[in-house]
Every structure is written in C-alpha cells, then in structure tokens.
Amino acid sequence: MRRTVIAAVVMVATALSADGAAATATPPRTAVQAQPQAQAQAQPQVQAAQAPVSSATAAPSATAVDEPVCARFKGVEACVGPDGSDRPGITVEDTAGDHRHTAVEYYLNGYLGTKYVIHNLGRDGEIRGSREIGKTVTFRAALYAGDERIKYSRWKTVRNVAKYPVKRDTRTTPAAAGAKSKRCTTTNGAATMCFSERKTFVYACDTGADKFQARAEYFVGGDPTTRYEIHQLAGAGTCGKAEHGDLPISMYRASLFNNDHRKATRLYKYN
C-alpha cells in the first residue's frame, strides 16, 4: 500500500513538472515581443534591396560603357552608342527584307520642341545614322510604309555617351537663321528651311501662327538612301537646328504638316 502511494505521488510530481516546463517554453506572444521578430525577418530584404546601391556594384564596367543602348522590334533596330562602340552616335538598321523602311525618331538634350527623324532607305541589312547627338538622347525605333508610320517602339533615354555633344539651340529666330545660312527655301510663308555648309547646320523654322508644324526634309553627302527631317513643334517664330559636320546638303525642301498629314511643300531642290 505504501509503495502504491509513493508511486502515485511521483507520477503527479512528474506531470506537474512537465506542464510547468511546457508553459514556460511557449509563452503567449505579445505585440511587443512579435515586433523584433518581424524586424529580424524583414532585415534581409532591406539589405538585399540596398545591396546594388553600393559603390562596388554601382560603377559601370568599361565594357558596359562601350555597349550601345538599343530599341528594337521585328525589322528594326535603333541604337545610341558612345564613340568607342560599334554603333557610335544614333543609328537605325533595317533587319527585314520587305517593302517597308526603318527610321529612328529622337529628341536632344531634353527639349521636346524639336524632333529629329532619320529614315533608312537602304533596305535589308543597311545601317544609317548620325554622329551629331546631344548630351541626352531620347529615341525610339519606327517602321514606315511610304510616308506612313505603321509601328514604333517605346521611348528610351540615354545620357552622356557623346564625347563632343551638340548644344541645344532654342533661341534662334527665322530671321537669325536666314542671316546665318547660305540659302533658304520657304513654303506658304509658314515653314522655312535654311542651311550653311561650313560645319554644316540646318534650320527648320516655323513662321506661321497656326496649328501646323514646320518641317525640313533633306539629304546630305549625296546619299539618296538616308533622309533627314527636323520637325519644329514649338510654334511660330521658333527654329530647330541639326548639325552634320563636314557633310554637305545635296537635296532639300521645306514642308508644312498637320501632325503627320502634309499640308504644303515645295519640290526638292538640288544644292
């Protein structure tokens, strides 16, 4: 009988000891106690997000600097690259053997009052472009069927790739452009194109207070497979300017557009 009582007492003591240990091992979690654990779990995510900002990973490699930045879709590849790359300046390549032609549309130095377009008329496998670009280039690739744009990519912006970037010129008036230039041509008194061939530059000037936009359309260096355009979008009394280094103007005309619809033009003149 005594042994049975002692055994019962030992069993109760063991059970109480086990319950007590379990109670102290898993206390109820309060909001204050849960917060450090949540912070501890979030910390690796914060560190992972901050990791790319370190100086070791932020500095671009020499190879990355020399690689052009491109916008492309089927049949078209437009790129902006530094002088040391295989595609310096701004270029557009025709990558499809069809009856359409490619183009690159771009703005320089963050100014949206003047848009530039280079039409590559050389067909499949040909690359056309210009080395004269600004410190900032916002560009996109486009595909044309005749004079109708049928497809285009998203805009991309590239900065600081030109060793000698062209400056932004937004203060030239039509009168000043004519005074600086070798010759000019005008259509309907609302659009004027002027150019000079000493370090060749071209102006497209809007001279009419209306809803239409002035446009210069021209070829340089005697090459019939590349058409350059300056679209002046800033309104009456303003001029857009493009530079072409030592390449002379070969054919040119001034035109007037309502968005992409031609309202007036002259026949091309030969220089």
Side-chain angles (χ1 to χ4, degrees), residues 153-167:
S153 71
R154 292 183 178 182
W155 293 101
K156 288 192 174 185
T157 298
V158 180
R159 295 177 176 85
N160 300 321
V161 299
K163 189 174 182 180
Y164 302 104
V166 298
K167 296 180 180 180

Side-chain angles (χ1 to χ4, degrees), residues 2 4 31 35 85-86 100 130 132 159 201 221 243 268:
R2 186 177 179 183
T4 304
Q35 185 175 0
S85 71
D86 59 348
R100 300 166 178 174
S130 174
E132 308 297 333
R159 295 177 176 85
F201 57 82
E243 299 183 20
Y268 274 109

Side-chain angles (χ1 to χ4, degrees), residues 57-188:
T57 56
S61 64
T63 304
V65 171
D66 290 338
E67 289 296 323
V69 175
C70 298
R72 59 176 68 88
F73 55 87
K74 185 178 180 181
V76 188
E77 183 176 63
C79 298
V80 176
D83 293 337
S85 71
D86 59 348
R87 298 279 286 267
I90 185 161
T91 58
V92 58
E93 179 180 359
D94 192 322
T95 59
D98 52 29
H99 296 291
R100 300 166 178 174
H101 75 265
T102 62
V104 57
E105 305 173 357
Y106 61 103
Y107 296 90
L108 295 181
N109 300 317
Y111 178 61
L112 302 182
T114 305
K115 184 170 80 171
Y116 303 91
V117 184
I118 302 174
H119 292 263
N120 180 358
L121 309 176
R123 303 305 181 187
D124 187 19
E126 298 292 326
I127 300 174
R128 299 291 184 271
S130 174
R131 297 290 293 271
E132 308 297 333
I133 61 175
K135 187 175 182 180
T136 302
V137 184
T138 300
F139 72 104
R140 70 180 178 184
L143 187 65
Y144 281 76
D147 287 333
E148 181 184 0
R149 185 181 60 198
I150 58 176
K151 194 174 181 181
Y152 50 85
S153 71
R154 292 183 178 182
W155 293 101
K156 288 192 174 185
T157 298
V158 180
R159 295 177 176 85
N160 300 321
V161 299
K163 189 174 182 180
Y164 302 104
V166 298
K167 296 180 180 180
R168 188 171 74 181
D169 185 357
T170 61
R171 297 184 179 181
T172 302
T173 63
K180 295 176 181 178
S181 301
K182 172 184 175 182
R183 63 183 66 178
C184 298
T185 186
T186 302
T187 181
N188 284 4

